[in-house]
Structures are given as C-alpha cells and as structure tokens.
Amino acid sequence: MPEIDSPPQRILIIRLSAIGDVIMASGLIPALRKAYPNARIAWLTESANADLLRHNPHLDQVYLWPRSRWRQLRRERRYRAFAREAFDLIRSLRVERFDWVIDLQGLLKSGVWAWLSGGRRRIGLGSREGSQFLMTEVIDRRVDDLRIGKEYRMLAETLTGQTDTFELDIAVSEDDRKGARELLESAGVTGAYAVICPFTTRPQKHWFDERWAELSVRLAGERRLAVVMLGGPADKARAEIIARQTPGLINLAGRTSLGQCAAIIEKARLSIGVDTGMTHLGIALGAPTLAIFGSTRPYLETGRAAARVLYDPLECSPCRRRPTCGGTFDCMRLHTVDKVFGAAIELLEKRS
C-alpha cells in the first residue's frame, strides 16, 4: 500500500480508453489535488478523450497517446515516423520523474505505459494480463459500494487517507460552449431542450428504438422540449433509424466533438441515457440525468439530487457480458415508456 506519509511531488494518472471510465475516474483529480496541493498532477489518455481532460484547471498536464494515428503509421509502414513519435512521448513522460504512476485501467497496454514512464512507484488498480508484474503495488478493484465511480473512489481514499473528497471533475471550455450553441441554433434549437443518449457498446445495454421515439415525442408534445439525440460517428446508422421514427427529433449523432457533446449536455433541462459515457457525463456536469440500467449497473447512487438510476433487477441481473435471455433483454423491457417518462417529469419538476 502506498506510503501516504511521504507526499508525492509528481503524479501521473493513466486511464487510456473508455469515455465512461475516464469520466468516473475524474473524481481522483480533486481528491489528489486536495491531499497534495503542491504536487504536479498529469494524466495520460488516448487522444479521443482529450476534450474530457485538457481544460481541467486542476490538472497540470494532459499527455495524449495517439493510438489511431500510430496504428495508421504502422499500417502504412512509416516505421521511422512511428518510432520518432513514440520516443518523444516516452521521453516527455520520463523527464517528469514521476513519484507515483497510477494505472487505473489495469491492462497490459496501460501497464506498459506505466512502466515506460519510469515512475518510481507504480500503483495498479486490479492489474491483470501481465501488467501486475510491471507494477510495484496492485490494489484490488473489487469493492462493495453502490456509488458512482466506486473503485476509483476507494482508490482515492487509499491513496490520500481522506474521505469525501471524491467528486467527478469534468471541465467544459468556452470554445466548446460556443460551438455547441452555434450547432444547436443551426438545428433550430433556441429554447429549452432535453438530450437523449441511446447508444452504447453492447446490445444488452440498449433500450429499444421505438421506445426512444415514443419518449421523445412525449417530451416534445407534453413538456414542450426540443429533443436532441447525441452519439458518436459509429452511431450514425442507428441514429437515422430512430430519427425516421421521431418527427422533430434533432439528430446530432456524429456531428459534434466530445467537448461539444459535454457543452450540450451541460445546458440541457434533462438528459436521459443508458449505461454509456454520455449518461455519466450528465451526472458529472450536474445536469438532471436519468440513467436506464439493466444488464449492467455500474452504480445505483449518483451523488446528485437531480440524477436518478432506473434499475429493476431480475434473477439474472446484472448479467454484464453474458446475457442468458436469448436476446429478449427482459431487464431493459421492464423500463416502459410510461415509467421512464414519469421519472423524467419528476426530475424536471424537482429542478423547477
């Protein structure tokens, strides 16, 4: 276990991928900053996640791993350019002489970066795939806690010896706010709006397209809210299917940067989503947020008065990556449109 009586002067956090986990792990930033106010705190992540971290005033440095670019360089056999860029990133990390390197991902790819950084103390969270042999210490990530970011929260308490300092910490830039306003205005959104975030990585975590359509129509008709749908470039095909079923839906899937997504969610009257990074982002930014969980439930307690989880467990819940329902996804089917709409109205009225 780390010696908290020897305060670190330079700390590197590593969480390379998964938007949702970067968001939930962001609570480490204020926890470490409060415990070690004079420390230099940096974060290494994939370039795709840059917008979530680079505007944070509590971070001194954000290092970006351009994984997609390096893959392209190797595919094009531009090995010299790849080697030069890799060497430059490794050198920029090693010159910092980090006292602590905290590998939140616990995989081989993140463990290699922890080792390459040259950090004196390398702390792995649930390290596996061989990365445990690259750490100086490994902390078990299993924890019995219903709060959002539970394993990162536990780690923050372990590293700092302090409780109640963990709070999700995502900053939105003024440029992204400006870009979001312009995008919304160009789509005809000038007043209050709700955001829906239907897209995630596995089918068992999805709600149903026709229910998203019906919910959006009711929010627009009964609550006079414009409804904006967000998603990434990979979600565009399914977004078009939902949009075709939903008159008046503002489909921005694949049309925003991650930072602009954050800015749109930040100002929403309501955000509704499944177990996806955009839903966690709503909670992090303090937007009234409704999370629809079924096969997974990363948390039940949001830590926000205006954020709520809908989760009705069955005997097989949560099945995570091993559904046993044969594709009927009964846990998500329990969330009727009436139920979700009713919970949304409660959040709206709580805020007003």
Side-chain angles (χ1 to χ4, degrees):
M1 185 174 293
E3 300 173 5
I4 60 176
D5 59 344
S6 178
Q9 298 302 308
R10 296 175 179 82
I11 302 172
L12 175 66
I13 301 168
I14 300 177
R15 178 74 213 198
L16 301 171
S17 60
I19 290 171
D21 276 285
V22 171
I23 293 164
M24 287 190 281
S26 68
L28 272 167
I29 302 169
L32 290 169
R33 178 57 68 202
K34 184 171 183 179
Y36 309 112
N38 298 319
R40 178 172 171 80
I41 303 176
W43 193 307
L44 172 65
T45 193
E46 289 186 22
S47 298
N49 299 319
D51 286 351
L52 296 174
L53 299 168
R54 61 184 171 192
H55 306 296
N56 194 312
H58 302 126
L59 283 174
D60 295 294
Q61 179 77 44
V62 176
Y63 294 98
L64 300 180
W65 176 31
R67 186 182 185 186
S68 296
R69 171 174 165 76
W70 287 5
R71 186 184 296 119
Q72 182 66 26
L73 288 175
R74 293 195 301 272
R75 189 179 300 121
E76 296 172 355
R77 299 185 178 182
R78 298 169 59 190
Y79 300 122
R80 183 173 297 179
F82 164 70
R84 182 173 60 250
E85 292 185 16
F87 177 77
D88 287 345
L89 179 54
I90 294 167
R91 182 175 57 184
S92 67
L93 292 171
R94 294 183 71 88
V95 76
E96 291 276 5
R97 299 183 180 275
F98 290 109
D99 300 306
W100 286 6
V101 178
I102 307 167
D103 175 14
L104 303 179
Q105 202 145 0
L107 301 179
L108 184 58
K109 64 180 180 181
S110 55
V112 166
W113 277 113
W115 180 76
L116 287 172
S117 74
R120 179 174 61 86
R121 171 171 279 142
R122 298 181 298 281
I123 306 158
L125 180 60
S127 299
R128 54 194 176 92
E129 296 186 344
S131 67
Q132 62 269 32
F133 302 115
L134 301 175
M135 301 296 111
T136 59
E137 300 139 54
V138 175
I139 296 174
D140 192 343
R141 74 184 312 129
R142 293 171 296 181
V143 59
D144 185 15
D145 194 336
L146 298 178
R147 294 174 294 176
I148 189 169
K150 56 182 182 283
E151 65 267 41
Y152 308 118
R153 188 182 299 270
M154 173 274 296
L155 182 63
E157 293 179 2
T158 301
L159 296 178
T160 67
Q162 299 178 2
T163 60
D164 301 322
T165 59
F166 184 95
E167 185 172 357
L168 305 190
D169 189 21
I170 300 295
V172 181
S173 74
E174 287 305 320
D175 283 344
D176 284 330
R177 289 190 178 108
K178 181 176 182 291
R181 284 194 302 268
E182 291 173 352
L183 194 57
L184 289 171
E185 289 170 2
S186 69
V189 180
T190 57
Y193 61 90
V195 165
I196 62 170
C197 306
F199 310 111
T200 185
T201 52
R202 300 193 293 276
Q204 63 265 32
K205 297 199 292 182
H206 287 155
W207 204 34
F208 306 98
D209 293 354
E210 66 276 9
R211 295 190 183 186
W212 282 116
E214 183 181 344
L215 176 67
S216 299
V217 168
R218 290 186 65 177
L219 287 170
E222 298 179 36
R223 301 302 296 192
R224 299 292 186 267
L225 290 172
V227 181
V228 177
M229 179 165 56
L230 296 177
D235 305 316
K236 292 176 72 173
R238 185 167 165 236
E240 287 295 334
I241 294 172
I242 296 174
R244 284 197 294 268
Q245 302 177 51
T246 317
L249 179 65
I250 309 300
N251 179 12
L252 297 184
R255 294 180 54 195
T256 69
S257 67
L258 185 53
Q260 289 168 345
C261 267
I264 290 171
I265 291 171
E266 179 187 43
K267 299 299 182 182
R269 285 287 308 280
L270 177 69
S271 178
I272 306 174
V274 291
D275 181 8
T276 184
M278 295 300 99
T279 303
H280 313 323
L281 190 54
I283 296 171
L285 295 171
T289 301
L290 190 61
I292 306 172
F293 293 164
S295 68
T296 58
R297 51 145 183 77
Y299 50 86
L300 292 178
E301 298 177 8
T302 65
R304 306 280 192 189
R308 177 182 171 188
V309 171
L310 292 182
Y311 176 68
D312 291 321
L314 299 174
E315 288 185 1
C316 53
S317 305
C319 64
R320 299 182 177 87
R321 294 178 181 269
R322 296 179 175 84
T324 59
C325 59
T328 58
F329 307 139
D330 301 319
C331 56
M332 295 302 283
R333 206 167 293 281
L334 291 173
H335 300 303
T336 65
V337 174
D338 283 341
K339 176 182 174 181
V340 175
F341 183 74
I345 297 308
E346 289 179 12
L347 282 181
L348 286 169
E349 292 178 348
K350 183 178 292 186
R351 188 183 189 190
S352 60

